[in-house]
Amino acid sequence: EMCIRDRVTVHADIAYSRVDAVTLLLNGVAVSVTKSDANGSLVAKFELDSVKDIVGPPEATFVLEGLTHDGTPFAGSDTVRVTGGGEP
């Protein structure tokens, strides 16, 4: 699930405690903030200014990738609708 305001927020179905947060990338953009949600899953936030330059209407595919603390790679993707004028 993704939410876009001043940051692009990604909710991922992986335990936050397993993730090496400094390795997280969204389409090559480094993460700015990480935390866990109420279920202990990863929430990663990326600066909108860094992400908006790599997407455009009508849709974009975002790929979140990183490593767990034991070095195991993981990745997930989602395609979202992109509208003009900066409106999500």
Side-chain angles (χ1 to χ4, degrees), residues 30-42:
V31 70
S32 59
V33 176
T34 61
K35 64 179 188 173
S36 65
D37 65 13
N39 297 317
S41 295
L42 170 67

Side-chain angles (χ1 to χ4, degrees), residues 43-82:
V43 177
K45 296 180 181 258
F46 301 83
E47 295 299 325
L48 180 58
D49 286 341
S50 298
V51 175
K52 72 180 180 179
D53 293 334
I54 59 174
V55 300
E59 65 182 30
T61 299
F62 289 101
V63 178
L64 176 70
E65 56 189 331
L67 300 172
T68 61
H69 289 294
D70 67 4
T72 303
F74 67 91
S77 65
D78 195 8
T79 300
V80 298
R81 183 175 59 93
V82 178

Side-chain angles (χ1 to χ4, degrees), residues 24-30 54 63 65:
L24 292 174
L25 298 172
L26 183 69
N27 289 37
V29 174
I54 59 174
V63 178
E65 56 189 331

